[in-house]
Each structure stands twice: as structure tokens, then as C-alpha cells.
Amino acid sequence: MKLIGLFDSPFVRRVAISMRLQGFAFEHVALSVFRHIDEMRKINPLIKVPMLVLDNGEKLIESSFILDYLDGEVAPERRLIPAAGPARRHIQQHCAIALIGIEKAVQVVYETTLRPSEFTYQAWVDRCTVQMHDAFAILEARPLSPLLSGAPITQADVTCAVALRFARFMHPAQFEPERYPRLQQLSAYCEALPAFIETPLE
Ligand SMILES: N[C@@H](CCC(=O)N[C@@H](CS)C(=O)NCC(=O)O)C(=O)O
């Protein structure tokens, strides 16, 4: 399989980390949606990452659907989201909130770096920044992840840790060390795992 996209994309990074955790071999095709547009368009005319190209040539987009496909390819105990039941809903909703944190962090980056500075719409930046923090605050208010007391890792852990790492990296002034202590603890634990270390954001 080939995974298209850079690890500075949290959507790509969570797929790559999940693949490593689940033992999938893949070739990483490190193309940027901004710097390699022509090459990217040949592979994915939508110029979005991640894309997973299966060995039969089938192309999958949208990180949540890619992860769902991968979960379907492993034994039940290796799934990162269970196939059914309350735990599935809980983990999916946890991921959904973390993905909003990511999406808002990305929107601030796009608004402040892709537009000429005189066209930055500060009210939108402020709104997205508040929404980003609201998402992390909701996650922070939830119980500490069972991963930290020895439970198997889930997609909620992966996506939460990837989200916090990305948001902190992109917006360091927004994330003083004492903010979101539970999430920081989860992030520190996850970022020390081989699957995370082998998938560096920078
Ligand atoms: N919901 C999508 C989001 C993917 C996404 O927005 N990726 C960004 C990179 S972080 C991208 O492709 N940006 C290029 C663009 O939006 O034109 C997913 O989870 O895969």
C-alpha cells in the first residue's frame, strides 16, 4: 500500500501511526498538497491528503474512512475502534471532537499563512481559535484515557495525541505547558511510542 501525504498533516499522521500500530507495511509518498500540486493532481485530482492506494490500485480518501477500512482488515483485538457497541460510539465521538480541534487549528493556519496578511480576517481567526480550545477543553474534561493505566491503545488515543501535538506545534503561544494537563499526559505517553516516533510531525 502507498500512503500519500506529509506527516505535518495530522490527518495523514493519524493514519500512518495507526498503520504502524496495526502492523501494516506501507510506502510513504511524501508529497505536499501545496508544494507538489502537479504530481499530487496526477494521483488525486482533489489534491487532498491522506490518500491510501491499495495494492490493487484502489484509492481511498478521508482519514476516518481509511482507518475504518484498515480496522476491517485486522483481527478484532487489533482494531483501534471496535466494530460495534457503546465503546465504538464513545471512541468515534472522542475522535470527532479531536478532529474539530484539528480542523480549527488548520483553519487558523490557512487563514494566517495562505492569505496575504492584509487580507487575514481576524474575527474568523478568533472564532476558530476559541472553537479549537473548546474542543480541547471538552476532551480535557473527560476521564483520563484507560491507555495510561494499561488498556490497549484506541483511535481516540491516537487522534487526541496527534491533535494536541499538531495544535501545539502550529500555535505554540496558545498552549502553555499547564493547559490541558490530562491531554498533555496522554500526548507525552503516545509520542514516546515507536509508532509515533517513527512518524515525526516535523
Ligand atoms: N476530512 C479530511 C481532511 C483532510 C485535509 O483537509 N487534509 C489537508 C491537509 S492537513 C489537505 O488536504 N489540504 C489541502 C486542501 O484542503 O486543499 C480527512 O480527515 O482526511
Side-chain angles (χ1 to χ4, degrees), residues 86-165:
R88 175 176 174 85
R89 283 200 308 281
H90 177 82
I91 292 169
Q92 283 180 329
Q93 288 303 304
H94 210 85
C95 290
I97 299 163
L99 287 169
I100 290 172
I102 291 175
E103 179 191 313
K104 292 295 158 181
V106 169
Q107 284 175 340
V108 172
V109 173
Y110 286 176
E111 182 69 26
T112 54
T113 61
L114 295 183
R115 287 178 189 275
S117 56
E118 64 271 28
F119 293 126
T120 294
Y121 182 38
Q122 193 56 43
W124 175 244
V125 172
D126 293 345
R127 178 195 155 109
C128 290
T129 303
V130 168
Q131 288 173 294
M132 174 183 75
H133 280 303
D134 286 345
F136 285 118
I138 290 171
L139 296 173
E140 177 69 17
R142 292 187 163 201
L144 197 60
S145 168
L147 173 68
L148 298 172
S149 40
I153 194 163
T154 73
Q155 190 54 242
D157 300 314
V158 174
T159 299
C160 244
V162 165
L164 191 69
R165 175 80 183 93

Side-chain angles (χ1 to χ4, degrees), residues 6 8-12 14-15 33-34 40 44 46-51 61-66 99 102-103 106 110 114 166:
L6 301 180
D8 66 359
S9 160
F11 305 104
V12 177
R14 80 184 184 120
V15 170
V33 283
F34 296 110
M40 183 65 81
N44 178 6
L46 295 172
I47 320 179
K48 291 286 285 187
V49 293
M51 172 178 264
I61 56 168
E62 191 62 44
S63 60
S64 297
F65 296 146
I66 295 172
L99 287 169
I102 291 175
E103 179 191 313
V106 169
Y110 286 176
L114 295 183
F166 174 78

Side-chain angles (χ1 to χ4, degrees), residues 68 71-72 76-77 79-92:
D68 189 56
D71 264 348
E77 66 277 9
R79 292 182 67 104
L80 294 173
I81 303 182
R88 175 176 174 85
R89 283 200 308 281
H90 177 82
I91 292 169
Q92 283 180 329

